[in-house]
C-alpha cells in the first residue's frame, strides 16, 4: 500500500474483488500482487535477487548432446563380518595388472578398477553409516549398492538396514552372496530371505541380481563385476566432461607436511590442477592431484576419484565441491556459509535444555517447559507427569505434551524436535534407531530409574542449580 501511495483498506478491497481474503501484513504471491498493483495504476517489475551462490556456481542442466557415458560409482554394504572389507580388497587386487603389481596402492577412500575393458569406481568405506552421512549432507554419490550377505549367516539386522538405506536413496541393489566356499554356505536360504524384503532373485523370476561369490577364493568375482557393468549400462549413466567440475568430498584429513588433503569424487565436469575450488566451508587451488594408483595427474573426469592438496582448511566428508571461476567471489561465499552456520548453531544453542533452562527463564526467553514422558508402565507415566507438572511456578509452566509407555522411539524424538521438548524416560531405554542417530537429532533425552531423581533434576534446573551431567 505504501509503495502504491494507497491506503491498506484500498488494497484489501482490491484483493477481495479478486477473491483473495487477505489481512494486513499477510504475504501474497507475486502474481496476485502484480494484478492489484497494475489495476491501481502502477508499473510492475519482478526484481530477481541473485545470490553469490547462484552467481558463482553453475548449476545449469547439460544439453543432451554434451553428455557422454560415465562409469558407475559403487558402494559395498552389509552386516558386520559378512565380508565387505575382504570383498573390496579382493576386487582391488584382482584388478592390479602385472605392471602395477609391485607398485604401491594408495588408500585414498575410493578406487577404480577395470573389468571387461570398462571402469568401475568403488567407494572404499564400507557400511551404510558413511553412505547415509553423505546423503544427509545432500550428496548423492552412488549409483549401485553391492549388498554383501554371508551365505552361512543369512540376512541380519544390518543387512536389513542397508536394504532400507539403499531403497531410501533409490539406488540399485546387487546382492553378493559371499563365503560360498564355506561348508555351511546356503545361498538358497539367503535368496529365500531376500524375498521377504521385496528383493526377488532373477533366478526366481524377480529383478534382483544375486551373485554367489567368495572373497577368499575369488570365485564369482568376475561375474559380480560383469553384473555391475550390466546394471550400469542399463542405467545409462552420463556426464558432461566439458564443464567446471562438481562432486563430493569422500575423505579429508590434515597431513603434517602437505596440509589439508581431500579425496574428491568428480561427478560432473573435469577437474584440472590449478582450478579454484570451493568445498563446503573452504576454498583453494588444486595444487597436487594424485589418482588412486599414486600417480600425479593433471585432470580428472566424471566418476574419477582423486586426492588433492591446496585447500585452506579440511572439508568434511560428504561436502559438495565445485570448481569455480572467480576466486574472490568464492572466498566471499565461504565467509557467508560460515556466517550462516554460526547463526544456525546460535539458534540451536538457544534451544531449551535442562542445563540452560534457568538462564533462559531469567532472560524471559522461556515461559513454558514442554516435556515428553516415557515410562515402563502407564501408572508411572501418569505419576511422573503429575509430579512434573506440579513444579509449575510463576515464571515457568511445566507441561507434559505427551506421555506413553515403552522405549523412547523415533516418533518421540520427532515430536521433541518439532515442539522443542525435552524427553524424560523413567525405567525405559532408547530404542536402537534413537541411539543410532542421537548425535544428529540434537534432542535432550534424560533417563531415570527413580522418580524422585527425575523430579529433582527438573526442579533444580528451574532454579539454575542442576549438577552437571556426569
Ligand atoms: P566386514 O566386517 O563385512 O568388512 O567383513 P570382513 O571382510 O572383515 O570379513 C569378516 C571375516 O570373514 C574375516 O575373517 C574374513 O576373512 C572372512 N571372510 C570374508 N569373506 C569370506 C569368504 O568369502 N569366505 C570365507 N571363508 N571367509 C570370508
Amino acid at each position: 500500500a505504501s509503495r502504491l501511495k494507497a491506503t491498506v483498506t484500498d488494497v484489501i478491497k482490491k484483493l477481495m474483488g479478486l477473491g483473495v481474503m487477505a489481512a494486513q501484513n499477510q504475504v501474497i504471491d507475486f502474481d496476485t500482487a502484480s494484478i492489484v498493483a497494475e489495476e491501481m495504476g502502477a508499473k510492475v517489475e519482478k526484481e530477481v535477487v541473485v545470490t553469490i551462490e547462484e552467481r558463482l556456481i553453475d548449476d545449469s542442466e547439460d544439453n543432451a548432446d554434451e553428455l557422454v557415458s560415465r562409469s558407475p560409482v559403487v558402494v559395498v554394504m552389509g552386516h558386520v563380518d559378512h565380508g565387505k572389507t575382504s570383498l573390496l580388497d579382493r576386487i582391488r587386487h584382482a584388478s592390479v595388472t602385472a605392471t602395477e603389481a609391485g607398485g604401491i596402492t594408495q588408500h585414498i577412500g575410493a578406487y577404480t578398477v577395470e573389468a571387461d575393458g570398462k571402469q568401475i569406481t568403488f567407494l572404499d568405506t564400507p557400511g551404510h553409516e558413511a553412505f547415509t552421512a553423505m546423503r544427509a549432507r545432500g550428496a548423492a554419490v552412488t549409483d549401485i549398492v553391492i549388498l554383501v550377505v554371508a551365505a552361512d549367516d543369512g540376512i541380519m539386522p544390518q543387512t536389513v538396514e542397508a536394504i532400507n538405506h539403499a531403497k531410501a536413496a533409490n539406488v540399485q541393489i546387487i546382492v553378493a552372496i559371499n563365503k560360498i566356499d564355506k561348508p555351511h554356505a546356503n545361498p538358497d536360504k539367503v535368496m529365500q530371505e531376500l524375498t521377504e524384503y521385496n528383493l526377488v532373485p532373477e533366478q526366481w523370476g524377480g529383478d534382483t541380481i544375486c551373485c554367489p561369490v567368495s572373497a577368499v577364493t575369488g570365485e564369482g568375482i568376475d561375474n559380480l563385476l560383469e553384473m555391475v557393468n550390466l546394471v550400469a549400462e542399463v542405467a545409462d549413466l552420463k556426464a558432461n566432461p566439458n564443464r567446471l567440475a562438481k562432486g563430493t568430498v569422500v575423505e579429508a584429513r590434515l597431513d603434517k607436511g602437505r596440509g589439508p588433503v581431500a579425496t574428491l569424487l568428480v561427478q560432473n565436469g573435469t577437474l584440472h590442477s590449478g582450478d579454484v575450488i570451493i568445498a563446503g566451508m573452504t576454498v583453494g587451488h588444486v595444487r597436487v592431484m594424485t589418482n588412486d594408483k599414486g600417480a600425479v595427474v593433471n585432470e580428472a573426469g566424471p566418476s574419477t576419484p582423486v586426492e588433492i592438496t591446496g585447500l585452506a582448511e579440511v572439508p568434511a566428508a560428504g561436502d559438495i565441491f565445485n570448481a569455480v571461476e572467480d576466486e574472490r567471489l568464492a572466498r566471499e561465499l565461504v565467509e557467508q556459509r560460515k556466517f550462516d552456520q554460526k547463526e544456525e548453531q546460535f539458534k540451536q544453542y538457544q534451544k531449551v535444555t535442562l542445563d540452560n533452562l534457568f538462564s533462559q527463564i531469567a532472560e524471559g526467553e522461556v515461559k513454558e517447559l514442554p516435556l515428553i514422558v516415557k515410562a515402563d508402565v502407564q501408572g508411572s507415566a501418569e505419576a511422573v507427569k503429575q509430579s512434573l507438572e506440579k513444579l509449575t511456578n510463576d515464571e515457568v509452566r511445566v507441561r507434559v505434551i505427551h506421555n506413553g509407555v515403552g522405549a523412547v522411539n523415533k516418533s518421540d524424538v520427532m515430536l521433541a524436535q518439532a515442539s522443542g521438548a525435552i524427553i524424560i524416560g523413567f525405567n525405559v531405554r532408547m530404542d536402537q534407531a534413537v541411539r543410532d542417530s542421537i548425535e544428529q537429532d540434537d534432542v535432550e533425552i534424560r533417563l531415570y530409574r527413580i522418580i524422585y531423581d527425575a523430579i529433582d533434576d527438573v526442579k533444580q534446573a528451574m532454579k539454575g542449580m542442576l549438577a552437571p551431567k556426569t
Side-chain angles (χ1 to χ4, degrees):
S2 67
R3 291 281 287 270
L4 290 166
K5 300 202 169 51
T7 66
V8 174
T9 321
D10 287 341
V11 175
I12 289 181
K13 268 192 201 149
K14 266 272 181 280
L15 279 166
M16 282 165 81
L18 294 168
V20 180
M21 299 302 155
Q24 191 170 352
N25 295 330
Q26 185 175 329
V27 175
I28 54 172
D29 61 70
F30 176 80
D31 290 338
T32 310
S34 59
I35 294 170
V36 169
E38 266 163 14
E39 281 195 6
M40 296 180 78
K43 191 164 160 280
V44 180
E45 240 174 68
K46 193 167 190 169
E47 184 184 8
V48 181
V49 180
V50 184
T51 61
I52 304 182
E53 185 110 24
E54 285 165 336
R55 267 202 284 165
L56 190 63
I57 291 170
D58 175 14
D59 252 338
S60 62
E61 293 265 320
D62 294 296
N63 291 325
D65 59 350
E66 294 168 312
L67 293 171
V68 299
S69 290
R70 65 166 176 88
S71 40
V73 178
V74 181
V75 70
V76 174
M77 301 206 269
H79 196 72
V80 63
D81 278 348
H82 278 198
K84 298 180 291 294
T85 314
S86 310
L87 189 67
L88 278 164
D89 286 350
R90 167 60 76 167
I91 291 170
R92 175 160 202 166
H93 289 118
S95 81
V96 176
T97 58
T99 47
E100 281 174 347
I104 338 138
T105 44
Q106 300 278 318
H107 275 272
I108 65 168
Y111 62 80
T112 56
V113 298
E114 212 176 281
D116 278 340
K118 296 193 189 91
Q119 294 248 318
I120 305 173
T121 301
F122 280 88
L123 295 186
D124 210 350
T125 21
H128 54 261
E129 290 82 6
F131 174 79
T132 303
M134 284 203 195
R135 233 163 58 78
R137 307 182 79 92
V141 187
T142 28
D143 303 301
I144 297 170
V145 166
I146 293 184
L147 179 71
V148 180
V149 189
D152 61 343
D153 203 18
I155 292 193
M156 298 301 280
Q158 286 167 329
T159 321
V160 178
E161 280 177 37
I163 294 173
N164 292 336
H165 285 270
K167 282 188 174 167
N170 231 333
V171 177
Q172 188 98 23
I173 299 175
I174 295 179
V175 182
I177 303 178
N178 190 31
K179 308 199 186 184
I180 51 161
D181 59 291
K182 282 199 148 185
H184 297 295
N186 189 349
D188 276 347
K189 182 169 160 269
V190 173
M191 293 203 279
Q192 182 59 51
E193 289 171 352
L194 285 169
T195 60
E196 288 164 34
Y197 299 91
N198 274 327
L199 296 172
V200 181
E202 271 192 326
Q203 291 90 322
W204 297 353
D207 53 13
T208 301
I209 298 174
C210 295
C211 304
V213 297
S214 167
V216 165
T217 67
E219 189 184 345
I221 303 289
D222 287 344
N223 175 54
L224 175 66
L225 297 180
E226 253 171 58
M227 289 303 135
V228 169
N229 277 332
L230 190 80
V231 169
E233 222 172 282
V234 174
D236 196 22
L237 305 167
K238 297 248 160 101
N240 173 7
N242 297 314
R243 64 181 289 166
L244 289 168
K246 175 192 167 122
T248 301
V249 176
V250 174
E251 257 183 35
R253 67 198 156 84
L254 189 63
D255 183 281
K256 266 197 205 131
R258 297 188 292 161
V261 174
T263 295
L264 308 180
L265 176 71
V266 179
Q267 293 175 273
N268 202 9
T270 298
L271 185 65
H272 308 268
S273 52
D275 279 355
V276 178
I277 62 167
I278 175 165
M281 308 268 176
T282 180
V283 192
H285 286 268
V286 176
R287 202 178 299 146
V288 181
M289 184 151 69
T290 13
N291 68 14
D292 57 330
K293 317 285 186 299
V296 174
V297 291
N298 286 319
E299 51 177 52
S303 298
T304 311
V306 279
E307 193 181 76
I308 64 138
T309 62
L311 288 170
E313 286 166 56
V314 181
D319 274 346
I320 306 217
F321 83 84
N322 290 86
V324 296
E325 257 159 3
D326 188 328
E327 187 175 353
R328 192 184 53 81
L329 264 190
R331 290 188 194 285
E332 254 178 65
L333 179 55
V334 163
E335 286 314 310
Q336 191 189 319
R337 283 181 181 173
K338 284 185 177 163
F339 177 80
D340 291 347
Q341 190 193 37
K342 274 210 197 91
E343 245 186 10
E344 192 56 37
Q345 279 167 352
F346 183 70
K347 263 193 226 144
Q348 299 205 338
Y349 173 73
Q350 295 280 299
K351 247 171 59 180
V352 191
T353 65
L354 283 193
D355 293 317
N356 73 12
L357 179 63
F358 180 70
S359 61
Q360 297 233 9
I361 293 172
E363 281 165 28
E365 293 283 343
V366 180
K367 299 259 178 305
E368 185 177 278
L369 175 64
L371 298 173
I372 292 171
V373 173
K374 291 300 286 278
D376 52 345
V377 290
Q378 190 57 42
S380 347
E382 268 310 316
V384 175
K385 173 182 150 107
Q386 284 180 14
S387 315
L388 285 170
E389 290 192 333
K390 272 202 201 117
L391 296 175
T392 295
N393 60 23
D394 291 344
E395 274 118 27
V396 62
R397 175 170 167 224
V398 180
R399 193 159 77 92
V400 175
I401 56 169
H402 170 68
N403 74 31
V405 174
V408 175
N409 62 30
K410 260 297 191 209
S411 89
D412 297 326
V413 170
M414 264 150 24
L415 182 61
Q417 281 168 331
S419 51
I422 295 168
I423 301 176
I424 306 275
F426 173 65
N427 269 336
V428 293
R429 303 188 306 166
M430 298 180 242
D431 75 9
Q432 189 63 44
V434 173
R435 265 181 281 152
D436 284 348
S437 62
I438 193 149
E439 296 277 296
Q440 294 100 283
D441 287 343
D442 192 38
V443 161
E444 182 167 20
I445 303 176
R446 293 203 172 224
L447 304 178
Y448 299 91
R449 302 215 139 271
I450 300 168
I451 292 192
Y452 174 79
D453 286 344
I455 315 296
D456 200 49
D457 266 8
V458 177
K459 198 165 158 186
Q460 296 304 325
M462 289 167 72
K463 286 195 270 177
M465 309 274 283
L466 186 67
K469 249 193 283 189
T470 45

